[in-house]
Amino acid sequence: MQKYIVMIQGVYPDNWKEIATALKADCDWRCTKCGKVCLRPGEKPPDWTKSQRKAYTLQVHHWNLFLVPFSCSQWG
């Protein structure tokens, strides 16, 4: 059975940062759509531009605007 967090557009739970970090860690900091390995907290390659770092910063999205699975393994 999948567990979900109900998301209302523009409203996040107080602990969203912790939830997002846990989801990223559960996915081993890899994008579930394209498979790209992203930067972990504190990683800042010295020769990368800000633009390059942003391109490798993993984000958590609620693609359907309402639900976010607790575990990336449930995303497929």
Side-chain angles (χ1 to χ4, degrees), residues 1-5 16 18-28 30 32 60-61 63 67-76:
M1 179 177 202
Q2 292 183 333
K3 297 179 182 178
Y4 291 94
I5 302 164
W16 178 248
E18 291 81 15
I19 291 168
T21 300
L23 285 168
K24 294 172 191 179
D26 190 39
C27 295
D28 198 26
R30 183 179 299 271
T32 58
V60 175
H61 293 279
W63 296 328
L67 302 173
V68 176
F70 269 108
S71 172
C72 68
S73 61
Q74 297 167 347
W75 293 358

Side-chain angles (χ1 to χ4, degrees), residues 26-59:
D26 190 39
C27 295
D28 198 26
W29 299 90
R30 183 179 299 271
C31 177
T32 58
K33 286 188 90 174
C34 72
K36 178 171 70 173
V37 176
C38 294
L39 296 172
R40 295 170 186 263
E43 286 185 326
K44 188 175 180 181
D47 56 337
W48 284 22
T49 65
K50 183 177 181 178
S51 179
Q52 288 172 310
R53 287 192 310 271
K54 286 183 109 148
Y56 281 84
T57 298
L58 189 60
Q59 298 180 25

